[in-house]
Amino acid sequence: MAKRKKSSKVNKSIKVDKSSKILGYVAWTLSIVAGIIISLTIGYYFGISDATKAFHSKKEKQKITQMKKSPRKELTVKKRLEEVLHKGGVKYTTAAHEIDDESLANPPKIKNKKLIIYNHKPKLAIIIDDVQTASQVKAIKSLHIPLTMSFLPPRPGRPNSAKLASHEKFYMVHLPMEAMHFSSPEPDTLKVNDSQKKISQRIAEIKKEFPRVQYINNHTGSKFTSNEVAMNRLIFALKANNINFIDSRTTAKTMAPKVLKNFGLKYVARDVFLDHHMEKAYVLKQIKEAIKVAKAHGHAIAIGHPHKNTLAALAESKDLFKDVDLVQINKIY
């Protein structure tokens, strides 16, 4: 009986030793697997980190190279104005939508506009039409020159023009009027067949939306401004609201001079369109033309639009403007 008990104890000891060895193998295996996983994780992390650093380093080098290639001034102007077309959501293919006559891109020949002898610098007012987005306002103001912004009335998809104007000390309204040949009229465009009541109501709405408006110029309007009856109704409504009319001269057949004279009011009109064509070289030439007209007559009014080339040309013309007093329209009329 004693031998059997001893044999039983030996067998139990052997089993315990085997179990311990198995557990040891399992522990070692798990340790090795864990080590491999940790190594792979650390390697992956540092690999991604190094790749990211390399990528940003490459981009930074490219940026520095680009800055060396391009003049600082050009980069600054481009950066300021690029958002006008892209972020502002308004794409200009041409400013020729305003007028029906190619010759109107040049200064109009106004009768009895005599040469003026002046003691001070001639005055030049530049109106920027079609303003309706925050990015356009930001780009125009970034030039730090006294331009006159003329805001389109609010419309679906561009509801903030009146709100943007309210933050400005001085502004105009660019009022849509019926054109001879224009396929994309603005909402609430004034038409030649509109009654006096309808036109007066529309001007009252404009006054409510733009409480401080003192000047209105026509957006398109070649058909409307060439109609004497329609212009009589408009000037009657504007006069009742103490608003002055500035003729954008989108047609050579404008009746504004005759109608304003009949109301005992002064006729004021655009002298030069800056961007009938979109090329910057053309805009620069027109800026020089506007300065020439101002020197000849003591003052001049030019009209442009908030697209990149026009604003870039204005930014590059600051030396040219030393020959004139660049002012807002209320300093001329």
Side-chain angles (χ1 to χ4, degrees):
M1 290 295 291
K3 288 182 179 178
R4 287 182 181 177
K5 286 181 180 180
K6 186 176 181 180
S7 176
S8 178
K9 287 180 180 180
V10 171
N11 289 336
K12 286 180 180 179
S13 177
I14 292 169
K15 289 180 179 179
V16 170
D17 289 342
K18 286 182 177 179
S19 296
S20 297
K21 287 180 179 180
I22 291 169
L23 289 172
Y25 291 145
V26 170
W28 274 103
T29 303
L30 290 174
S31 297
I32 292 168
V33 170
I36 292 170
I37 291 172
I38 291 169
S39 298
L40 289 173
T41 302
I42 292 171
Y44 177 80
Y45 173 80
F46 281 108
I48 289 295
S49 179
D50 290 342
T52 303
K53 288 178 182 178
F55 174 75
H56 286 294
S57 178
K58 186 177 179 181
K59 285 191 74 176
E60 193 65 28
K61 287 179 181 177
Q62 288 176 345
K63 186 177 179 181
I64 292 169
T65 303
Q66 183 63 33
M67 287 180 70
K68 286 179 179 178
K69 287 181 179 179
S70 302
R72 181 180 177 84
K73 183 179 178 182
E74 284 295 316
L75 277 175
T76 305
V77 171
K78 185 177 180 181
K79 185 177 180 182
R80 285 202 310 258
L81 308 180
E82 188 70 31
E83 62 183 281
V84 175
L85 288 178
H86 301 293
K87 291 184 181 179
V90 181
K91 185 176 182 181
Y92 289 91
T93 54
T94 175
H97 67 281
E98 291 280 4
I99 62 177
D100 284 330
D101 186 348
E102 176 77 19
S103 64
L104 290 177
N106 299 314
K109 304 297 181 184
I110 300 173
K111 292 181 179 180
N112 301 322
K113 192 168 185 180
K114 298 178 181 179
L115 184 67
I116 297 173
I117 305 299
Y118 47 86
N119 297 321
H120 303 287
K121 283 184 180 180
K123 294 180 180 180
L124 173 62
I126 298 177
I127 299 169
I128 303 297
D129 284 346
D130 290 358
V131 182
Q132 54 190 312
T133 67
S135 62
Q136 290 172 339
V137 172
K138 183 179 178 182
I140 291 166
K141 293 176 75 170
S142 73
L143 300 180
H144 301 293
I145 53 179
L147 303 172
T148 301
M149 287 185 280
S150 192
F151 288 83
L152 282 168
R155 60 173 179 168
R158 304 265 195 281
N160 297 321
S161 60
K163 184 178 179 180
L164 290 168
S166 70
H167 297 301
E168 303 304 316
K169 291 181 180 179
F170 179 77
Y171 59 82
M172 287 176 54
V173 171
H174 195 41
L175 188 62
M177 301 180 195
E178 189 174 4
M180 291 287 188
H181 311 290
F182 188 51
S183 59
S184 302
E186 293 284 319
D188 300 314
T189 293
L190 293 183
K191 296 181 173 60
V192 294
N193 293 325
D194 287 344
S195 65
Q196 182 65 67
K197 182 179 178 181
K198 187 172 182 179
I199 291 175
S200 294
Q201 285 177 342
R202 182 60 182 142
I203 299 305
E205 289 172 2
I206 293 295
K207 185 73 174 179
K208 185 176 180 180
E209 291 171 325
F210 299 88
R212 291 184 287 109
V213 63
Q214 300 175 46
Y215 300 85
I216 274 178
N217 69 321
N218 51 298
H219 172 71
T220 64
S222 55
K223 186 174 183 179
F224 190 97
T225 57
S226 61
N227 186 290
E228 186 175 353
V229 174
M231 283 301 296
N232 266 298
R233 291 169 179 166
L234 174 65
I235 300 304
F236 176 84
L238 291 176
K239 188 176 181 181
N241 286 276
N242 296 314
I243 300 173
N244 301 296
F245 179 71
I246 296 175
D247 191 359
S248 298
R249 287 190 65 91
T250 56
T251 175
K253 299 177 181 178
T254 178
M255 296 301 296
K258 179 179 179 180
V259 172
L260 284 161
K261 183 179 180 181
N262 290 340
F263 276 88
L265 300 173
K266 184 179 180 181
Y267 176 64
V268 180
R270 180 271 313 168
D271 293 292
V272 179
F273 264 126
L274 297 181
D275 47 14
H276 180 68
H277 301 290
M278 295 283 286
E279 297 81 6
K280 188 167 68 172
Y282 176 84
V283 180
L284 288 167
K285 180 176 75 70
Q286 291 299 97
I287 289 171
K288 292 176 183 177
E289 183 64 30
I291 293 170
K292 181 180 176 182
V293 173
K295 287 180 176 180
H297 302 290
H299 57 79
I301 298 171
I303 289 180
H305 298 80
H307 60 69
K308 186 174 63 176
N309 283 347
T310 299
L311 300 184
L314 289 168
E316 293 175 18
S317 298
K318 290 184 178 181
D319 287 339
L320 295 174
F321 293 140
K322 290 178 180 178
D323 292 336
V324 295
D325 279 333
L326 193 59
V327 298
Q328 293 185 314
I329 192 68
N330 60 333
K331 300 299 182 182
I332 289 182
Y333 172 39

